[in-house]
C-alpha cells in the first residue's frame, strides 16, 4: 500500500468507485481507495439496480440522466461487461392526485430534456399484459429508465480507475483519522498508514463511524429495506422481450423482471432502523433476517395487481440495510470546519442511479472547485448541526422511507423529527393562528388561520389549495396597512478585524459602502461567476460588517466566508444567528408603527432607504435596517434574542390600532414575486451569473478585483445567451409551481419556470423563468405546461408591483 497519496477515498461501493473513476477521468490518479472488505460488499451488492430518472429536483434529474448515460457507455470505456437493461419504466396512477403528480413530473422532465409520456390504463395493459389494470387512471412512461447489475457497474468503474493508475486496496479497514495542521490527513488502516491531502468519506452506512473518527456527526440512519424474488413465472419465460419496470406507488411497491422471475420491492409505512450506534465493521456481504410480517400487506396488494406474484411464491428474500439521510438525498461536498474532508455518502435508496452522476460532480467539485451543475440539493451544508441530533435524523429518515411512494404534494409540511428549534415567539404565534413550517431546523410561520379556520394545511393538492385566500388577505393587509413577520431564522454573521474590508471586497460583487450603517445588497460569486451567496452587508464600525443571509444557507454561506479567510488572522467571522432575533415590519404604515415604539427619529430624512442604525425600543437596543424583500416601506429589527417576545408584544400593542397584521412566509413569497425579487436556490444559484439573473445593478466591475469578476467581464464581452424573465400566466385552478417546461407557440421547449406564485395584490399568476435572450423581451408570447395544459404566458416588464420602488423609498 502506498504511504502517501493526493486523495484517499474510504469505501469501495458504487459511490467511492464512481468518484475514483471520475477523478481519474479528470486526470487525477494519485489516489488510494480503501475498502475494508471486497468491492461492493456494503449496500451495493444487494441492490435491485433500478435506475429511474423521475425526480422532484431538476438538477438531480440531470445527475441521474448522466448516470444512465455513463452506465450505457461503461463497457466500451472500461472493457468490463455492464448489462444496462433499458426496458423503460411505468408509474401507475390510481388517483387523480397521483395523475396530477405525473403531469407535473412530465412537464419538469420536458424542461430538462428527459423523454416521458402519460399513458392510458389500456396502453399500460398492452405493455404489461400480466398486470390487472382495474382501477388505474393511467401512468407515466419513462422510456429511457431501466435497471443494471450494481456490482458490474461498480467493478467497471473500479477497473477504469485502476487502469488509469488509481490504487485500490481491498481488505484494508480504516481504523483512525488524524487531521494534520495543514489540513491534510493521516489515515490509519489495518495494513498501515497513508497520508493524503484530501480525504473522502464514501463509506455508505459506515460513514457516521468514519465521521466520528474525525469528530463529525453525520445525519445518516441505517434502515432496513426488503425485497423478494418470486419463483419462476412461465408467462415471463415465454414472453419475447423484457417487461418495463413497474412502480405502483398507490400500493407502495416496485417490480422488475429478473429473467423468468420478478423482483418485488415494497415500501412499507414502518421500516426499522438498525445499528444506530454504528454498523458493525464485520457486516460484510451480509443480509439481515427477513421480516415478512412488516411487508405482508404490501405483497398482498402486489399480488392483487399482478396475480402471478401471488401464484409464483417467494424464491429468495433480501433484507438489506442502507444509510438514509433526513431528506433521502445523499451528503456531498466539503465538510464545514475542515479544509479537505469531502463527503460522498448517505445515498439512501438511490445509490445506484445516483452513484454515477454523484461521482462525476463530486470529482469536478474536488478538481475544479465547483461541480458543473449546482449540487445544492445534495450539498452537506443544507443541514446544520441540528440535523445530526438523533431526535431529528432517525424519525426523519424513517419518515422519508415510509413516504417513498407517497404523493409529493407541493407545500406539504410533515411533522417527523420536529420541532428542533422553536424561538420565543413559537407559542405566541401559534396562539395567534400561525401554521408553522420547517426551515433549516427552525419552526417559522407559513400563514395565519383567522378565527374559526382550522389551523392546518388541510388541502394537499396540485391545484389551488384552500389556504390561498388567507395568504391573499395577509398580502393585502401588508400592502394596505402594515404587517409583522418573525424572521429570527435569518443567518447573521459579524465580520471584523483590520483585514475585513479587503476580505469582503474580494468576495462581494457589489461595492461596499464606506458609510456607517449603509446596507448593501450583494452576491458572492464562484470563479465562473455563478451566484454562490446572496446577502446584505452593512458597515457597523471602523472595520466591522454585519452580514445577513437566508436561514437555509447559514452553514453554506458561513463555510464560504471561512474558506476564504486570509491566513494572517486579520479577519474574524462570528455566527450570531442564535443570539439575534429579527422582526420584520413592512407596509405603508410601518413608519408610524416604528415611531410609536421608539422616541428616535425614523423620518425619511434621518432614516432613509437602505440605512441601518440602532434605535431604542423600550430600553432595548434594536439594530433597525431599512429594507424590504417584499417591496414596501419596512424595517428588519435585529435585536438581542432574549427580547424577541417583549418586542413583538410591544409592536402588536402599538400596531393593532393601525391595522397591523401577522403574516407568514407564504405571503412573503407571493409579494417577493410581485417585485420579481430572486430567491437563492430557486431563481439564482451557482448555475447562473448575476448578468443572466438580471442582477447587473448589484455588480460593480470597476470596483477592483473580486472572485468571479474575470468570468463576468468575459461574459459581458461575449454576451449572455439566457436571462431571467418575468411572465404572467393565464391558467385556471392549477398554477405553475416551479420547474415546468416553457415552449414557444410553435411547440419548441425553450426554458423552464424557476418559481411561480399567485400575485395576490397585482391579481396575476407570476412566473420567473430562464429563457433564451431573444425570447425574454416583454411582450413575447409563450406557453407553460401546467398539468398537461399549455397555458398562455407573456413576458412582462418587471416588477409588476411598484416598478419605481416608490413605496420602499416612501
Ligand atoms: C434492498 C436494497 C435495494 C436497493 N435497490 C436500489 C435500487 O434499485 N436502485 C438504487 O439506486 N439504489 C438501491 N439501493 C440503494 C443502494 O444499494 C445504496 O444506496 C448504494 O449501494 C450505496 O452505495 P455506497 O457506495 O454509498 O455504499 P456501500 O455500497 O455500502 O459502500 C461503502 C463501502 O465502504 C466500506 N467501508 C466502510 N467502512 C470502512 C472502513 N472503515 N474502511 C474501509 N472501507 C470501509 C464498506 O465495506 C462498503 O463497501 C438499494 C438498497 C437496498 C438495501
Amino acid at each position: 500500500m502506498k504511504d502517501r497519496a493526493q486523495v484517499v477515498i474510504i469505501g469501495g461501493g458504487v459511490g467511492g468507485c464512481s468518484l475514483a473513476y471520475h477523478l481519474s477521468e479528470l486526470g487525477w490518479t494519485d489516489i488510494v481507495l480503501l475498502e475494508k472488505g471486497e468491492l461492493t460488499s456494503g449496500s451495493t451488492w444487494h441492490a435491485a439496480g433500478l435506475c429511474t430518472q423521475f425526480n422532484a429536483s431538476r438538477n438531480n434529474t440531470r445527475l441521474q440522466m448522466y448516470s444512465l448515460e455513463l452506465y450505457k457507455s461503461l463497457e466500451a470505456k472500461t472493457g468490463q461487461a455492464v448489462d444496462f437493461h433499458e426496458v423503460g419504466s411505468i408509474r401507475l396512477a390510481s388517483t387523480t392526485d397521483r395523475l396530477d403528480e405525473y403531469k407535473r413530473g412530465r412537464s419538469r422532465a420536458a424542461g430538462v430534456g428527459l423523454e416521458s409520456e402519460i399513458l392510458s390504463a389500456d396502453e399500460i395493459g398492452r405493455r404489461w399484459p400480466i398486470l390487472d389494470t382495474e382501477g388505474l387512471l393511467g401512468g407515466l412512461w419513462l422510456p429511457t429508465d431501466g435497471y443494471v447489475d450494481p456490482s458490474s457497474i461498480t467493478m467497471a468503474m473500479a477497473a477504469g480507475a485502476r487502469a488509469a493508475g488509481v490504487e485500490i486496496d481491498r481488505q484494508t479497514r480504516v481504523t483512525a483519522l488524524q487531521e494534520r495542521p495543514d489540513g491534510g490527513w493521516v489515515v490509519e488502516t489495518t495494513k498501515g498508514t497513508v497520508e493524503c491531502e484530501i480525504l473522502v468519506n464514501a463509506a455508505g452506512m459506515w460513514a457516521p463511524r468514519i465521521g466520528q473518527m474525525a469528530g463529525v456527526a453525520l445525519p445518516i440512519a441505517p434502515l432496513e429495506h426488503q425485497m423478494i424474488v418470486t419463483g419462476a413465472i412461465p408467462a415471463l419465460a415465454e414472453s419475447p422481450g423484457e417487461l418495463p419496470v413497474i412502480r405502483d406507488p398507490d400500493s407502495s411497491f416496485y417490480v422488475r423482471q429478473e429473467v423468468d422471475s420478478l423482483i418485488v420491492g415494497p415500501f412499507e409505512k414502518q421500516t426499522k432502523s438498525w445499528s444506530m450506534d454504528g454498523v458493525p465493521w464485520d457486516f460484510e456481504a451480509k443480509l439481515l433476517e427477513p421480516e415478512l410480517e412488516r411487508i405482508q400487506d404490501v405483497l398482498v396488494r402486489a399480488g392483487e395487481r399482478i396475480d402471478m406474484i401471488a401464484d409464483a411464491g417467494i424464491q429468495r428474500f433480501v433484507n438489506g440495510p442502507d444509510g438514509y439521510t433526513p431528506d433521502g438525498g445523499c451528503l456531498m461536498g466539503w465538510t464545514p470546519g475542515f479544509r479537505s474532508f469531502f463527503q460522498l455518502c448517505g445515498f439512501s435508496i438511490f445509490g445506484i442511479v445516483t452513484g454515477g452522476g454523484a461521482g462525476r460532480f463530486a470529482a469536478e467539485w474536488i478538481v475544479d472547485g465547483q461541480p458543473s451543475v449546482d449540487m445544492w440539493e445534495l450539498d452537506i451544508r443544507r443541514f446544520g448541526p441540528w440535523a445530526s441530533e438523533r431526535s431529528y435524523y432517525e424519525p426523519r429518515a424513517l419518515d422519508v422511507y415510509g413516504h417513498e411512494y407517497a404523493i409529493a404534494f407541493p407545500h406539504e409540511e410533515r411533522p417527523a423529527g420536529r420541532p428542533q428549534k422553536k424561538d420565543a415567539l413559537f407559542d405566541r404565534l401559534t396562539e395567534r393562528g400561525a401554521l408553522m413550517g420547517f426551515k433549516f431546523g427552525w419552526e417559522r410561520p407559513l400563514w395565519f388561520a383567522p378565527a374559526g379556520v382550522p389551523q392546518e394545511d388541510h388541502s394537499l393538492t396540485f391545484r389551488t389549495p384552500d389556504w390561498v385566500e388567507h395568504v391573499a388577505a395577509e398580502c393585502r393587509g401588508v400592502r394596505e396597512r402594515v404587517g409583522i413577520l418573525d424572521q429570527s431564522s435569518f443567518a447573521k454573521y459579524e465580520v471584523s478585524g483590520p483585514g475585513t474590508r479587503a476580505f469582503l471586497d474580494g468576495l462581494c460583487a457589489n461595492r461596499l459602502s464606506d458609510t456607517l450603517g449603509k446596507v448593501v445588497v450583494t452576491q458572492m460569486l464562484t470563479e465562473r461567476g455563478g451566484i454562490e451567496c446572496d446577502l446584505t452587508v452593512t458597515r457597523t464600525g471602523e472595520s466591522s460588517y454585519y452580514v445577513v443571509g437566508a436561514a437555509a444557507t447559514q452553514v453554506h454561506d458561513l463555510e464560504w466566508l471561512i474558506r476564504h479567510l486570509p491566513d494572517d488572522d486579520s479577519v474574524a467571522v462570528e455566527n450570531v444567528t442564535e443570539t439575534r432575533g429579527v422582526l420584520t415590519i413592512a407596509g405603508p404604515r410601518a413608519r408610524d408603527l416604528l415611531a410609536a415604539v421608539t422616541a428616535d427619529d425614523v423620518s425619511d430624512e434621518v432614516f432613509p432607504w437602505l440605512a441601518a442604525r440602532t434605535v431604542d425600543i423600550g430600553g432595548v437596543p434594536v439594530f433597525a435596517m431599512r429594507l424590504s424583500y417584499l417591496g414596501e416601506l419596512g424595517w428588519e429589527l435585529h435585536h438581542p434574542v432574549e427580547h424577541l417576545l417583549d418586542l413583538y408584544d410591544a409592536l402588536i400593542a402599538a400596531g393593532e390600532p393601525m391595522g397591523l397584521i401577522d403574516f407568514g412566509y407564504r405571503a412573503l413569497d407571493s409579494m417577493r414575486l410581485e417585485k420579481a425579487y430572486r430567491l437563492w436556490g430557486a431563481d439564482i444559484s451557482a448555475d447562473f451569473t448575476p448578468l443572466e439573473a438580471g442582477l447587473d445593478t448589484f455588480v460593480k466591475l470597476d470596483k477592483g478585483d473580486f472572485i468571479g469578476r474575470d468570468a463576468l467581464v468575459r461574459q459581458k464581452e461575449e454576451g449572455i445567451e439566457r436571462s431571467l424573465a418575468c411572465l404572467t400566466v393565464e391558467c385556471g385552478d392549477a398554477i405553475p409551481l416551479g420547474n415546468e417546461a416553457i415552449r414557444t407557440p410553435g411547440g419548441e421547449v425553450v426554458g423552464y419556470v424557476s418559481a411561480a406564485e399567485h400575485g395576490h395584490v397585482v391579481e396575476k399568476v407570476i412566473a420567473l423563468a430562464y429563457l433564451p435572450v431573444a425570447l425574454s423581451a416583454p411582450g413575447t408570447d409563450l406557453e407553460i405546461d401546467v398539468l398537461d395544459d399549455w397555458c398562455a404566458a407573456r413576458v412582462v416588464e418587471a416588477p409588476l408591483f411598484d416598478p419605481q420602488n416608490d413605496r420602499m423609498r416612501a
Side-chain angles (χ1 to χ4, degrees):
M1 188 176 83
K2 279 194 197 177
D3 61 4
R4 200 165 278 280
Q6 191 176 9
V7 183
V8 165
I9 300 170
I10 306 171
V14 66
C17 291
S18 175
L19 176 61
Y21 173 77
H22 286 95
L23 283 172
S24 69
E25 286 271 284
L26 292 176
W28 280 31
T29 53
D30 183 13
I31 298 166
V32 170
L33 185 148
L34 302 171
E35 166 54 52
K36 68 177 173 58
E38 296 299 325
L39 298 181
T40 78
S41 65
S43 297
T44 297
W45 69 280
H46 57 55
L50 301 180
C51 293
T52 182
Q53 302 152 93
F54 181 79
N55 196 291
S57 147
R58 183 182 155 82
N59 280 358
N60 289 352
T61 306
R62 294 165 80 187
L63 182 153
Q64 292 173 346
M65 286 167 74
Y66 169 77
S67 290
L68 269 62
E69 209 181 286
L70 171 75
Y71 300 160
K72 286 179 214 164
S73 64
L74 264 181
E75 188 165 343
K77 284 179 174 164
T78 65
Q80 191 88 10
V82 169
D83 203 7
F84 184 82
H85 298 244
E86 196 177 50
V87 292
S89 78
I90 305 173
R91 286 173 181 261
L92 308 181
S94 309
T95 68
T96 47
D97 279 336
R98 182 69 73 182
L99 211 50
D100 280 354
E101 183 184 36
Y102 295 163
K103 289 174 181 170
R104 295 265 180 199
R106 204 190 60 76
S107 177
R108 189 170 58 239
V112 78
L114 173 68
E115 211 184 318
S116 69
E117 185 187 341
I118 302 286
L119 299 182
S120 68
D122 287 348
E123 182 55 32
I124 293 169
R126 269 193 289 281
R127 293 180 192 208
W128 243 85
I130 60 170
L131 181 141
D132 182 357
T133 55
E134 179 73 33
L136 288 187
L137 301 181
L140 183 70
W141 165 238
L142 290 137
T144 56
D145 274 6
Y147 71 92
V148 72
D149 167 33
S151 295
S152 69
I153 50 163
T154 308
M155 292 304 183
M157 291 189 287
R162 221 186 255 117
V166 172
E167 177 178 306
I168 296 182
D169 294 307
R170 294 171 296 124
Q171 303 295 342
T172 308
R173 176 161 65 83
V174 172
T175 53
L177 298 172
Q178 201 192 333
E179 193 187 17
R180 292 190 320 228
D182 68 352
W185 291 88
V186 181
V187 181
E188 307 280 356
T189 80
T190 45
K191 298 232 175 112
T193 302
V194 51
E195 295 207 22
C196 61
E197 311 316 311
I198 294 169
L199 178 66
V200 181
N201 182 4
M205 61 188 163
W206 293 268
R209 294 192 74 176
I210 298 293
Q212 257 170 16
M213 292 180 190
V216 183
L218 295 174
I220 296 176
L223 303 186
E224 296 184 11
H225 177 55
Q226 307 190 71
M227 58 191 195
I228 59 148
V229 184
T230 68
I233 298 176
L236 291 178
E238 287 155 20
S239 107
E242 256 192 299
L243 292 169
V245 171
I246 288 283
R247 290 181 180 80
D248 187 351
D250 296 316
S251 298
S252 215
F253 68 91
Y254 59 80
V255 180
R256 83 154 165 87
Q257 189 172 344
E258 172 80 347
V259 195
D260 58 354
S261 302
L262 293 173
I263 291 181
V264 185
F267 281 102
E268 67 277 27
K269 279 275 159 292
Q270 284 294 334
T271 188
K272 275 188 359 198
S273 55
W274 174 73
S275 286
M276 282 296 291
D277 295 326
V279 174
W281 294 124
D282 64 359
F283 189 84
E284 189 189 316
K286 286 186 188 156
L287 294 173
L288 302 172
E289 279 301 307
E291 288 194 20
L292 188 56
E293 322 75 68
R294 225 174 45 227
I295 55 170
Q296 206 154 13
D297 58 334
V298 187
L299 290 180
V300 168
R301 289 202 294 274
E304 285 164 4
R305 180 66 73 205
I306 303 162
D307 57 8
M308 287 174 196
I309 291 178
D311 299 342
I314 298 174
Q315 179 203 123
R316 192 158 61 87
F317 230 113
V318 174
N319 183 5
D322 192 13
Y324 263 73
T325 61
D327 60 5
C330 70
L331 302 181
M332 202 199 277
W334 298 108
T335 315
F338 295 88
R339 181 155 290 198
S340 57
F341 189 19
F342 198 91
Q343 303 293 334
L344 186 62
C345 48
F347 281 102
S348 311
I349 200 67
F350 297 112
I352 308 307
V353 63
T354 310
R360 170 189 162 183
F361 293 127
E364 291 173 353
W365 203 334
I366 290 169
V367 174
D368 303 334
Q370 76 176 104
S372 55
V373 170
D374 180 54
M375 286 287 104
W376 168 239
E377 287 148 306
L378 302 177
D379 191 326
I380 186 173
R381 294 170 296 179
R382 72 191 185 278
F383 294 116
W386 48 270
S388 298
E389 296 293 331
R390 186 167 166 181
S391 64
Y392 175 71
Y393 74 86
E394 184 182 13
R396 201 78 194 173
L398 287 164
D399 184 71
V400 165
Y401 183 98
H403 285 81
E404 184 60 49
Y405 278 166
I407 298 175
F409 284 107
H411 306 294
E412 186 179 3
E413 294 277 340
R414 296 210 302 265
R418 294 167 56 192
Q420 283 298 311
K421 276 195 263 181
K422 296 197 288 187
D423 71 23
L425 280 184
F426 180 89
D427 291 335
R428 179 72 88 250
L429 297 182
T430 308
E431 278 160 28
R432 291 171 66 86
L435 186 114
M436 293 292 182
F438 183 87
K439 183 65 83 181
F440 201 73
W442 299 86
E443 295 294 327
R444 314 193 305 180
L446 296 174
W447 61 281
F448 287 78
V453 172
Q455 207 168 332
E456 57 187 33
D457 266 346
H458 35 97
S459 64
L460 289 174
T461 172
F462 290 94
R463 292 156 196 274
T464 300
D466 53 11
W467 44 258
V468 161
E469 58 175 304
H470 309 300
V471 169
E474 289 174 19
C475 295
R476 286 191 296 272
V478 171
R479 296 251 189 258
E480 287 163 15
R481 304 184 305 277
V482 55
I484 184 166
L485 172 64
D486 178 11
Q487 296 204 276
S488 302
S489 60
F490 267 145
K492 311 158 211 101
Y493 324 98
E494 278 175 357
V495 188
S496 59
T500 299
R501 182 59 190 267
F503 164 66
L504 289 174
D505 274 340
L507 291 179
C508 296
N510 204 348
R511 183 179 288 115
L512 298 181
S513 179
D514 294 326
T515 312
L516 277 181
K518 174 80 181 163
V519 182
V520 173
V521 176
T522 185
Q523 286 80 45
M524 294 180 181
L525 310 181
T526 64
E527 291 288 355
R528 294 183 200 148
I531 302 172
E532 186 71 20
C533 311
D534 188 35
L535 304 156
T536 61
V537 178
T538 305
R539 187 154 186 230
T540 50
E542 184 51 37
S543 50
S544 60
Y545 285 79
Y546 187 49
V547 179
V548 180
T553 56
Q554 184 194 134
V555 171
H556 171 277
D557 294 350
L558 182 63
E559 205 263 343
W560 186 257
L561 291 169
I562 289 174
R563 192 161 279 275
H564 291 93
L565 281 176
D567 292 332
D568 59 6
D569 289 336
S570 64
V571 184
V573 179
E574 191 186 352
N575 183 0
V576 295
T577 303
E578 308 273 342
T579 61
R580 301 278 174 86
V582 182
L583 289 170
T584 289
I585 56 169
R589 299 212 61 188
R591 181 176 290 118
D592 298 340
L593 175 59
L594 190 55
V597 293
T598 181
D600 291 314
D601 190 345
V602 293
S603 65
D604 193 47
E605 297 71 47
V606 173
F607 208 143
W609 187 40
L610 293 178
R613 61 203 50 194
T614 301
V615 297
D616 183 295
I617 303 182
V620 178
V622 173
F623 189 65
M625 298 169 66
R626 189 175 155 193
L627 74 162
S628 166
Y629 186 55
L630 48 87
E632 287 294 336
L633 172 65
W635 281 266
E636 287 173 10
L637 304 174
H638 296 241
H639 56 275
V641 74
E642 58 275 19
H643 296 291
L644 177 60
L645 186 58
D646 292 346
L647 206 55
Y648 174 81
D649 285 345
L651 285 160
I652 289 290
E656 271 179 349
M658 301 170 197
L660 173 67
I661 57 143
D662 289 298
F663 69 102
Y665 275 87
R666 289 194 182 148
L668 181 69
D669 204 34
S670 163
M671 289 186 278
R672 70 104 183 164
L673 278 170
E674 290 183 328
K675 289 295 291 178
Y677 287 153
R678 282 74 166 144
L679 177 68
W680 195 90
D683 316 302
I684 52 177
S685 71
D687 282 345
F688 305 99
T689 71
L691 307 185
E692 293 165 328
L695 296 173
D696 316 39
T697 44
F698 301 114
V699 175
K700 302 290 181 298
L701 291 175
D702 61 351
K703 72 161 205 160
D705 201 18
F706 58 88
I707 296 177
R709 183 182 176 279
D710 293 348
L712 292 193
V713 169
R714 265 196 314 277
Q715 193 177 47
K716 214 165 181 157
E717 281 165 13
E718 290 163 9
I720 52 171
E721 288 174 8
R722 58 184 177 179
S723 72
L724 192 70
C726 182
L727 299 97
T728 55
V729 193
E730 298 301 323
C731 46
D733 183 30
I735 69 164
L737 299 164
N739 287 335
E740 289 81 3
I742 304 184
R743 71 178 189 189
T744 61
E748 187 196 352
V749 173
V750 288
Y752 75 98
V753 173
S754 62
E757 255 307 340
H758 290 277
H760 296 292
V761 174
V762 299
E763 296 184 339
K764 296 255 182 330
V765 172
I766 307 164
L768 297 182
Y770 282 95
L771 295 170
V773 169
L775 294 174
S776 59
T780 308
D781 284 321
L782 297 163
E783 293 172 344
I784 298 180
D785 179 5
V786 183
L787 288 182
D788 247 3
D789 189 9
W790 284 97
C791 303
R794 171 165 287 186
V795 179
V796 292
E797 206 76 65
L800 288 163
F801 183 78
D802 186 25
Q804 303 305 322
N805 290 335
D806 293 335
R807 294 172 76 108
M808 286 193 295
R809 295 177 206 265

